[in-house]
Amino acid sequence: MKGFKDYCCGCRPILVEAIDQTLQGLFQGLHVRPDEALNDTFRGGKMIRGSLVCLVNESLGGNPSSAVPRSVAVELVHGATLIHDDFVDQDRARRGKPAAWTLAGARKAVLLGDVIFASAIEMMSDLSRDDGLAVSRAIARIAKGAFQEPIDPSELAVYLRADAVPEFLYDAIIDLKTGVLFGVACELGALAAGAERDVRNAFYRYGVLIGEAYQIADDLQEIKHHLSSGVIDARAIAALAPAIVRFGGNLQASITPLLTGERSALSCELSKSFEEARMNMEEEMERRLRLSCLEVSGLVPDSRKRVMIHDAPRDLIDMFNGV
């Protein structure tokens, strides 16, 4: 039986073609041509979120054609967040190629992200009121998550000195930053299959938990990298601080001085905190993976498809880790 990685590989050509057609139509209306950086943003990934739409739809007996436009909308929203994130974070490269904002300019890149967000809402609203609401709510929540993330070192230093970083800020960030889009992908898959509201809600929670586990896996890679190298810079410690506060203890005295430097060696105390965070985050990731399967237990009648839904969360993390 094929796993989620193979399922993604099967979905990807279909989704890439549908995304290309959608972008061509969008840019015809804008009287501009998409450049290669933009195409790479939307076509360069594994289409994990779009594939989840298809998988949930298929597991509930839906018509594959109903999933494709919803998958496209999810991938467009994901791509727009990447365009915005690269500019906000001042990242100049995406998947080894120039970030869209470095080629199109900051103004056009930000406005393009806005156009794509709005277009995804319009596309889904044309399908149904529930589809439109699902996507618009997801975009609103994603924006709230990005707004809360303390990526500026000097700003975070002020919060730490005032002991104003909530212990569970990390949970809110990973829910809004990553969990929500995985959640709406699974919700749209259930909508495509014509599922009842309680089933749609269960699959939304299933997706959120997968997305949160996915973000924990991402942050774990960063923590392991810094533990291995023994050094960290101000920007990295700012990005990881919510995770360290949540899982490694609130080490204000150790973290704050690093926020004013360029690159620093990890102190013994901070190394221990990173190692503690690593172990606790691995446990938390496993817990969320288990909970995701419990959310949809008994909702998939076909045994083969039930196995795929059950295995997909862990397969997805394995894909991320290159297993």
Side-chain angles (χ1 to χ4, degrees):
M1 182 182 297
K2 65 180 180 180
F4 186 69
K5 181 177 181 179
D6 291 332
Y7 189 86
C8 283
C9 290
C11 290
R12 194 177 185 282
I14 299 168
L15 298 184
V16 166
E17 182 180 356
I19 288 168
D20 283 349
Q21 291 176 354
T22 302
L23 287 175
Q24 286 172 14
L26 174 62
F27 276 87
Q28 276 185 339
L30 296 176
H31 306 294
V32 293
R33 291 172 59 86
D35 59 28
E36 196 58 34
L38 181 67
N39 287 332
D40 287 340
T41 299
F42 291 100
R43 298 186 308 180
K46 298 181 180 71
M47 306 286 172
I48 288 172
R49 296 155 189 82
S51 296
L52 276 173
V53 179
C54 297
L55 177 63
V56 172
N57 172 67
E58 182 180 334
S59 74
L60 295 174
N63 188 319
S65 63
S66 298
V68 172
R70 293 169 170 93
S71 296
V72 169
V74 168
E75 289 295 337
L76 289 181
V77 171
H78 177 54
T81 65
L82 298 182
I83 292 171
H84 279 183
D85 286 351
D86 284 344
F87 170 63
V88 170
D89 297 344
Q90 292 294 285
D91 289 332
R92 304 190 66 85
R94 165 69 56 182
R95 302 187 186 108
K97 296 183 179 180
W101 73 270
T102 65
L103 300 176
R107 178 181 177 276
K108 277 194 173 180
V110 170
L111 291 174
L112 177 60
D114 293 341
V115 168
I116 292 170
F117 281 140
S119 298
I121 294 172
E122 182 180 33
M123 286 169 54
M124 292 299 95
S125 297
D126 287 343
L127 282 180
S128 77
R129 180 178 181 274
D130 286 341
D131 285 285
L133 282 173
V135 170
S136 59
R137 286 170 179 161
I139 291 171
R141 296 193 70 197
I142 291 166
K144 290 176 183 177
F147 186 75
Q148 289 185 80
E149 195 171 10
I151 60 172
D152 181 73
S154 59
E155 179 185 4
L156 182 61
V158 173
Y159 289 149
L160 285 168
R161 291 190 189 102
D163 196 23
V165 179
E167 180 183 353
F168 290 96
L169 173 62
Y170 182 74
D171 297 77
I173 289 172
I174 66 171
D175 171 47
L176 298 171
K177 178 181 177 181
T178 309
V180 164
L181 192 53
F182 277 79
V184 79
C186 295
E187 180 183 6
L188 290 176
L191 269 166
E196 297 293 332
R197 185 174 298 277
D198 59 339
V199 175
R200 287 162 17 205
N201 290 342
F203 272 99
Y204 175 80
R205 294 189 297 270
Y206 167 81
V208 166
L209 286 160
I210 296 173
E212 291 171 352
Y214 187 88
Q215 186 59 52
I216 293 173
D218 190 7
D219 295 333
L220 269 169
Q221 281 196 353
E222 287 297 308
I223 286 175
K224 290 175 182 177
H225 166 73
H226 294 299
L227 280 169
S228 175
S229 67
V231 295
I232 196 165
D233 58 32
R235 184 176 169 188
I237 195 68
L240 289 173
I244 300 303
V245 169
R246 170 72 168 86
F247 294 105
N250 191 348
L251 297 178
Q252 174 184 329
S254 300
I255 294 175
T256 305
L258 301 182
L259 295 171
T260 58
E262 289 296 318
R263 190 173 175 84
S264 307
L266 286 177
S267 66
C268 181
E269 184 182 18
L270 202 52
S271 293
K272 288 180 180 178
S273 183
F274 269 48
E275 181 60 31
E276 181 182 351
R278 181 193 65 78
M279 292 187 294
N280 289 334
M281 289 170 74
E282 285 177 347
E283 290 180 6
E284 183 63 19
M285 182 178 68
E286 290 296 322
R287 188 182 76 85
R288 294 187 192 222
L289 290 174
R290 290 193 301 271
L291 287 175
S292 67
C293 296
L294 290 175
E295 287 289 350
V296 295
S297 177
L299 296 182
V300 179
D302 183 275
S303 60
R304 183 182 62 84
K305 294 171 183 175
R306 191 184 313 129
V307 170
M308 281 200 68
I309 286 290
H310 182 273
D311 291 349
R314 194 167 304 280
D315 287 351
L316 197 151
I317 300 299
D318 286 344
M319 283 175 63
F320 176 80
N321 289 326
V323 176

